[in-house]
Amino acid sequence: QKLMERARQEEITLRNTELKALQAQINPHFLYNTLDSIQWMCEQGKNEDAAKMVNTLALLFRISISRGHELITIKDELRHAECYLIIQNYRYRNQFSYHFDVDEDLFDCLCSKITIQPLVENAIYHGIDRMVDEGVITISVQPDGDDILMCIADNGVGMTEEQCASILSKEKSDSSGIGIKNVNDRIKIHFGEQYGITVKSELDVGTTITVRIPKIRKEPKK
């Protein structure tokens, strides 16, 4: 039992190290593109938009740091995802819209940090980016008995069964982001093998990625 527990802790440490390494790679890439958009706004005299982008970018990074905590509240995780969506919506010139359908009673429940953003990124790059019509991304967080289901759905180009399986095996996303496999692995390590990610998709209809985690509330500060 001691050996198994040690192996589990080493696996958690490895995944967290991988996450930090991936964050270190994505941050300059994402930061460069965002700052490029902010510069364009300033040159066009869109100072209010530029100020909003700077504030949104600062909040996104502040939440992603989260004082080094691996588990954060669903409320903070959703704010992080929304910051990412706001920035990408500016960059994509309103090529897509997004909606949240969240049971607010779950706001103080815990989830692995940076769970939703990589799934939203996947929806944008693999679903929405290749569309002619406007894309729609819906983020839903609802209770399911003693569990929580977080669903990220898009009306994009969809994927084959083989493509669905492949995104759960890639360590990194094509855009140099945090891979869905990394997210899935961290969920299983923290919460158990019965939890994690499932992917359902239909070509020319869209994709839904569902995250199942246990309902664990944050302990109130004493």
Side-chain angles (χ1 to χ4, degrees):
Q1 284 182 334
K2 287 182 179 179
L3 284 171
M4 287 174 65
E5 179 60 25
R6 185 189 302 171
R8 181 176 175 276
Q9 290 300 325
E10 287 176 352
E11 182 70 12
I12 291 173
T13 301
L14 174 63
R15 285 299 168 192
N16 287 344
T17 302
E18 288 175 353
L19 174 64
K20 289 174 183 176
L22 288 166
Q23 279 180 285
Q25 292 172 25
I26 188 177
N27 287 354
H29 175 79
F30 180 71
L31 185 61
Y32 170 81
N33 287 330
T34 305
L35 291 175
D36 195 47
S37 297
I38 293 169
Q39 181 184 3
W40 177 84
M41 290 174 187
C42 292
E43 290 172 350
Q44 297 297 314
K46 298 184 177 184
N47 296 333
E48 287 187 13
D49 287 345
K52 185 178 179 181
M53 275 278 266
V54 170
N55 288 333
T56 304
L57 184 65
L59 179 58
L60 181 138
F61 279 108
R62 187 158 67 244
I63 295 172
S64 68
I65 294 168
S66 300
R67 299 177 182 174
H69 298 307
E70 169 61 17
L71 298 179
I72 63 174
T73 63
I74 285 176
K75 184 176 183 179
D76 281 344
E77 180 64 19
L78 289 168
R79 288 172 72 201
H80 182 266
E82 186 174 21
C83 288
Y84 180 79
L85 281 161
I86 290 169
I87 291 169
Q88 292 290 49
N89 218 11
Y90 272 115
R91 288 183 52 207
Y92 277 81
R93 305 288 188 268
N94 298 311
Q95 188 178 330
F96 65 89
S97 60
Y98 57 89
H99 308 281
F100 288 88
D101 178 19
V102 181
D103 185 335
E104 294 185 5
D105 185 54
L106 303 175
F107 272 172
D108 65 340
C109 293
L110 297 173
C111 68
S112 296
K113 179 172 66 178
I114 312 182
T115 292
I116 297 176
Q117 180 269 323
L119 311 185
V120 170
E121 181 181 304
N122 183 80
I124 293 172
Y125 285 103
H126 294 282
I128 305 298
D129 192 33
R130 291 174 284 171
M131 286 181 63
V132 175
D133 300 325
E134 182 188 0
V136 179
I137 298 172
T138 302
I139 295 116
S140 168
V141 181
Q142 299 294 332
D144 184 46
D146 293 331
D147 295 342
I148 296 171
L149 295 181
M150 300 191 290
C151 299
I152 292 80
D154 67 68
N155 66 334
V157 296
M159 294 183 289
T160 64
E161 287 186 16
E162 291 77 12
Q163 288 173 313
C164 289
S166 72
I167 67 168
L168 280 169
S169 62
K170 288 182 180 178
E171 289 289 349
K172 289 168 63 179
S173 71
D174 291 343
S175 57
S176 300
I178 295 163
I180 294 177
K181 181 180 185 298
N182 181 285
V183 176
N184 192 40
D185 288 348
R186 285 188 290 121
I187 291 169
K188 289 182 178 299
I189 289 167
H190 279 285
F191 302 122
E193 284 296 321
Q194 67 271 41
Y195 299 103
I197 291 173
T198 54
V199 182
K200 290 185 179 180
S201 188
E202 188 176 343
L203 288 174
D204 300 321
V205 175
T207 301
T208 299
I209 299 180
T210 302
V211 180
R212 179 180 291 275
I213 59 172
K215 193 186 296 180
I216 302 173
R217 296 198 180 274
K218 182 180 180 181
E219 293 182 6
K221 291 182 179 179
K222 295 181 181 179

mmCIF file of all heavy atoms in Angstrom, residues 22 114 118-119 121 167 170-174 176-186 197:
data_model
loop_
_atom_site.group_PDB
_atom_site.id
_atom_site.type_symbol
_atom_site.label_atom_id
_atom_site.label_comp_id
_atom_site.label_asym_id
_atom_site.label_seq_id
_atom_site.Cartn_x
_atom_site.Cartn_y
_atom_site.Cartn_z
ATOM 1 N N LEU A 22 3.977 22.766 -19.848
ATOM 2 C CA LEU A 22 3.097 23.125 -20.951
ATOM 3 C C LEU A 22 2.625 24.571 -20.824
ATOM 4 O O LEU A 22 2.527 25.297 -21.810
ATOM 5 C CB LEU A 22 1.901 22.177 -21.003
ATOM 6 C CG LEU A 22 2.216 20.755 -21.489
ATOM 7 C CD1 LEU A 22 1.060 19.830 -21.191
ATOM 8 C CD2 LEU A 22 2.537 20.737 -22.970
ATOM 9 N N ILE A 114 -7.362 24.509 -14.718
ATOM 10 C CA ILE A 114 -7.199 24.491 -16.177
ATOM 11 C C ILE A 114 -7.759 23.181 -16.748
ATOM 12 O O ILE A 114 -7.054 22.385 -17.368
ATOM 13 C CB ILE A 114 -5.735 24.705 -16.608
ATOM 14 C CG1 ILE A 114 -5.133 25.898 -15.874
ATOM 15 C CG2 ILE A 114 -5.643 24.941 -18.118
ATOM 16 C CD1 ILE A 114 -3.702 26.225 -16.249
ATOM 17 N N PRO A 118 -8.670 24.157 -21.944
ATOM 18 C CA PRO A 118 -8.163 23.349 -23.058
ATOM 19 C C PRO A 118 -9.284 22.757 -23.920
ATOM 20 O O PRO A 118 -9.110 22.570 -25.123
ATOM 21 C CB PRO A 118 -7.369 22.237 -22.358
ATOM 22 C CG PRO A 118 -7.017 22.799 -21.032
ATOM 23 C CD PRO A 118 -8.175 23.650 -20.650
ATOM 24 N N LEU A 119 -10.439 22.476 -23.304
ATOM 25 C CA LEU A 119 -11.563 21.913 -24.051
ATOM 26 C C LEU A 119 -12.212 22.988 -24.920
ATOM 27 O O LEU A 119 -12.638 22.717 -26.044
ATOM 28 C CB LEU A 119 -12.591 21.314 -23.082
ATOM 29 C CG LEU A 119 -12.028 20.365 -22.002
ATOM 30 C CD1 LEU A 119 -13.153 19.743 -21.203
ATOM 31 C CD2 LEU A 119 -11.153 19.288 -22.631
ATOM 32 N N GLU A 121 -10.496 25.527 -26.069
ATOM 33 C CA GLU A 121 -9.477 25.711 -27.113
ATOM 34 C C GLU A 121 -9.661 24.688 -28.222
ATOM 35 O O GLU A 121 -9.581 25.015 -29.413
ATOM 36 C CB GLU A 121 -8.083 25.572 -26.495
ATOM 37 C CG GLU A 121 -6.945 25.770 -27.483
ATOM 38 C CD GLU A 121 -5.580 25.589 -26.825
ATOM 39 O OE1 GLU A 121 -5.301 26.279 -25.829
ATOM 40 O OE2 GLU A 121 -4.820 24.751 -27.315
ATOM 41 N N ILE A 167 -7.685 12.602 -29.897
ATOM 42 C CA ILE A 167 -7.471 13.795 -29.070
ATOM 43 C C ILE A 167 -7.323 13.425 -27.595
ATOM 44 O O ILE A 167 -6.773 14.192 -26.819
ATOM 45 C CB ILE A 167 -8.583 14.850 -29.245
ATOM 46 C CG1 ILE A 167 -9.923 14.363 -28.695
ATOM 47 C CG2 ILE A 167 -8.697 15.304 -30.669
ATOM 48 C CD1 ILE A 167 -10.948 15.456 -28.589
ATOM 49 N N LYS A 170 -3.379 12.499 -27.375
ATOM 50 C CA LYS A 170 -2.341 13.497 -27.626
ATOM 51 C C LYS A 170 -1.956 14.197 -26.335
ATOM 52 O O LYS A 170 -2.803 14.634 -25.574
ATOM 53 C CB LYS A 170 -2.837 14.545 -28.636
ATOM 54 C CG LYS A 170 -2.952 14.035 -30.063
ATOM 55 C CD LYS A 170 -3.397 15.168 -30.975
ATOM 56 C CE LYS A 170 -3.519 14.690 -32.415
ATOM 57 N NZ LYS A 170 -4.001 15.769 -33.299
ATOM 58 N N GLU A 171 -0.661 14.317 -26.108
ATOM 59 C CA GLU A 171 -0.177 15.018 -24.913
ATOM 60 C C GLU A 171 -0.399 16.519 -25.027
ATOM 61 O O GLU A 171 -0.624 17.193 -24.042
ATOM 62 C CB GLU A 171 1.319 14.740 -24.698
ATOM 63 C CG GLU A 171 1.626 13.324 -24.240
ATOM 64 C CD GLU A 171 1.203 13.059 -22.817
ATOM 65 O OE1 GLU A 171 0.860 14.004 -22.093
ATOM 66 O OE2 GLU A 171 1.206 11.883 -22.410
ATOM 67 N N LYS A 172 -0.320 17.044 -26.255
ATOM 68 C CA LYS A 172 -0.478 18.488 -26.464
ATOM 69 C C LYS A 172 -1.478 18.716 -27.585
ATOM 70 O O LYS A 172 -1.651 17.870 -28.453
ATOM 71 C CB LYS A 172 0.865 19.125 -26.850
ATOM 72 C CG LYS A 172 1.877 19.203 -25.732
ATOM 73 C CD LYS A 172 3.249 19.566 -26.250
ATOM 74 C CE LYS A 172 3.266 20.936 -26.883
ATOM 75 N NZ LYS A 172 4.609 21.310 -27.365
ATOM 76 N N SER A 173 -2.116 19.879 -27.558
ATOM 77 C CA SER A 173 -3.009 20.241 -28.651
ATOM 78 C C SER A 173 -2.178 20.768 -29.815
ATOM 79 O O SER A 173 -1.014 21.123 -29.655
ATOM 80 C CB SER A 173 -4.012 21.301 -28.193
ATOM 81 O OG SER A 173 -3.367 22.539 -28.009
ATOM 82 N N ASP A 174 -2.793 20.839 -30.994
ATOM 83 C CA ASP A 174 -2.078 21.286 -32.192
ATOM 84 C C ASP A 174 -1.613 22.727 -32.075
ATOM 85 O O ASP A 174 -0.701 23.154 -32.761
ATOM 86 C CB ASP A 174 -2.975 21.131 -33.425
ATOM 87 C CG ASP A 174 -3.217 19.668 -33.771
ATOM 88 O OD1 ASP A 174 -2.451 18.829 -33.265
ATOM 89 O OD2 ASP A 174 -4.153 19.377 -34.522
ATOM 90 N N SER A 176 -0.204 24.044 -29.553
ATOM 91 C CA SER A 176 0.813 24.083 -28.495
ATOM 92 C C SER A 176 0.205 24.352 -27.114
ATOM 93 O O SER A 176 0.894 24.795 -26.200
ATOM 94 C CB SER A 176 1.895 25.134 -28.796
ATOM 95 O OG SER A 176 2.537 24.829 -29.997
ATOM 96 N N GLY A 177 -1.063 24.066 -26.979
ATOM 97 C CA GLY A 177 -1.710 24.238 -25.682
ATOM 98 C C GLY A 177 -1.614 22.986 -24.828
ATOM 99 O O GLY A 177 -0.882 22.054 -25.134
ATOM 100 N N ILE A 178 -2.353 23.009 -23.735
ATOM 101 C CA ILE A 178 -2.385 21.866 -22.823
ATOM 102 C C ILE A 178 -3.306 20.821 -23.413
ATOM 103 O O ILE A 178 -4.469 21.078 -23.701
ATOM 104 C CB ILE A 178 -2.860 22.318 -21.430
ATOM 105 C CG1 ILE A 178 -1.839 23.286 -20.824
ATOM 106 C CG2 ILE A 178 -3.085 21.133 -20.511
ATOM 107 C CD1 ILE A 178 -2.367 24.092 -19.676
ATOM 108 N N GLY A 179 -2.786 19.614 -23.613
ATOM 109 C CA GLY A 179 -3.552 18.565 -24.271
ATOM 110 C C GLY A 179 -4.699 18.047 -23.425
ATOM 111 O O GLY A 179 -4.659 18.076 -22.196
ATOM 112 N N ILE A 180 -5.745 17.572 -24.119
ATOM 113 C CA ILE A 180 -6.901 17.012 -23.418
ATOM 114 C C ILE A 180 -6.501 15.757 -22.648
ATOM 115 O O ILE A 180 -7.045 15.479 -21.582
ATOM 116 C CB ILE A 180 -8.030 16.724 -24.427
ATOM 117 C CG1 ILE A 180 -8.536 18.050 -25.004
ATOM 118 C CG2 ILE A 180 -9.177 15.964 -23.780
ATOM 119 C CD1 ILE A 180 -9.595 17.910 -26.060
ATOM 120 N N LYS A 181 -5.533 15.010 -23.157
ATOM 121 C CA LYS A 181 -5.047 13.822 -22.440
ATOM 122 C C LYS A 181 -4.486 14.216 -21.078
ATOM 123 O O LYS A 181 -4.718 13.522 -20.074
ATOM 124 C CB LYS A 181 -3.978 13.102 -23.257
ATOM 125 C CG LYS A 181 -3.445 11.835 -22.569
ATOM 126 C CD LYS A 181 -2.378 11.148 -23.405
ATOM 127 C CE LYS A 181 -1.954 9.830 -22.769
ATOM 128 N NZ LYS A 181 -1.357 9.986 -21.434
ATOM 129 N N ASN A 182 -3.746 15.318 -21.020
ATOM 130 C CA ASN A 182 -3.187 15.784 -19.752
ATOM 131 C C ASN A 182 -4.307 16.106 -18.770
ATOM 132 O O ASN A 182 -4.239 15.751 -17.588
ATOM 133 C CB ASN A 182 -2.306 17.009 -19.989
ATOM 134 C CG ASN A 182 -1.665 17.524 -18.711
ATOM 135 O OD1 ASN A 182 -2.337 18.144 -17.885
ATOM 136 N ND2 ASN A 182 -0.381 17.285 -18.546
ATOM 137 N N VAL A 183 -5.349 16.774 -19.255
ATOM 138 C CA VAL A 183 -6.499 17.104 -18.403
ATOM 139 C C VAL A 183 -7.153 15.830 -17.898
ATOM 140 O O VAL A 183 -7.452 15.685 -16.707
ATOM 141 C CB VAL A 183 -7.525 17.958 -19.184
ATOM 142 C CG1 VAL A 183 -8.763 18.222 -18.326
ATOM 143 C CG2 VAL A 183 -6.902 19.276 -19.626
ATOM 144 N N ASN A 184 -7.382 14.884 -18.811
ATOM 145 C CA ASN A 184 -8.026 13.612 -18.455
ATOM 146 C C ASN A 184 -7.203 12.840 -17.425
ATOM 147 O O ASN A 184 -7.740 12.313 -16.435
ATOM 148 C CB ASN A 184 -8.212 12.774 -19.721
ATOM 149 C CG ASN A 184 -9.132 11.586 -19.503
ATOM 150 O OD1 ASN A 184 -10.141 11.687 -18.810
ATOM 151 N ND2 ASN A 184 -8.793 10.462 -20.097
ATOM 152 N N ASP A 185 -5.890 12.787 -17.631
ATOM 153 C CA ASP A 185 -5.001 12.071 -16.707
ATOM 154 C C ASP A 185 -5.030 12.694 -15.320
ATOM 155 O O ASP A 185 -5.081 11.984 -14.307
ATOM 156 C CB ASP A 185 -3.556 12.076 -17.234
ATOM 157 C CG ASP A 185 -3.384 11.163 -18.438
ATOM 158 O OD1 ASP A 185 -4.293 10.371 -18.709
ATOM 159 O OD2 ASP A 185 -2.333 11.254 -19.111
ATOM 160 N N ARG A 186 -5.010 14.030 -15.254
ATOM 161 C CA ARG A 186 -5.000 14.706 -13.952
ATOM 162 C C ARG A 186 -6.306 14.473 -13.198
ATOM 163 O O ARG A 186 -6.304 14.289 -11.979
ATOM 164 C CB ARG A 186 -4.738 16.207 -14.139
ATOM 165 C CG ARG A 186 -3.287 16.528 -14.476
ATOM 166 C CD ARG A 186 -3.028 18.019 -14.455
ATOM 167 N NE ARG A 186 -3.677 18.715 -15.551
ATOM 168 C CZ ARG A 186 -4.560 19.693 -15.407
ATOM 169 N NH1 ARG A 186 -4.912 20.100 -14.206
ATOM 170 N NH2 ARG A 186 -5.094 20.286 -16.460
ATOM 171 N N ILE A 197 -12.832 12.279 -18.936
ATOM 172 C CA ILE A 197 -13.402 12.930 -20.122
ATOM 173 C C ILE A 197 -13.961 11.902 -21.099
ATOM 174 O O ILE A 197 -13.350 10.855 -21.331
ATOM 175 C CB ILE A 197 -12.324 13.770 -20.829
ATOM 176 C CG1 ILE A 197 -11.946 14.979 -19.961
ATOM 177 C CG2 ILE A 197 -12.782 14.239 -22.207
ATOM 178 C CD1 ILE A 197 -10.781 15.780 -20.502
#
